[in-house]
Amino acid sequence: MLAIVGIALLIYVVVRLASKTSNRNEAAPEPKHANASGAKQILEERFARGELTAEQYREQLRVLDESQ
């Protein structure tokens, strides 16, 4: 009797884990504009920190705008 309960519990756990994994894979991807917005924010931060020149900033901003 204990073996049957153990097997049933094991099956239950495996099914629950499988359903959680499949739910993560079915999540809707972020819209393309949301990714571009995040990229622009990072670009602005890098420019503000002085990691990019004005020319580099403008060029990368142009590339981001073209990819939308």
Side-chain angles (χ1 to χ4, degrees), residues 43 46 52 55-64:
L43 187 61
R46 290 185 63 204
L52 300 171
E55 184 178 329
Q56 290 170 323
Y57 172 77
R58 285 190 297 268
E59 174 64 21
Q60 291 184 16
L61 190 59
R62 182 186 62 78
V63 169
L64 283 175

Side-chain angles (χ1 to χ4, degrees), residues 1-12:
M1 182 69 176
L2 187 58
I4 294 173
V5 172
I7 291 172
L9 183 61
L10 181 61
I11 292 172
Y12 174 77

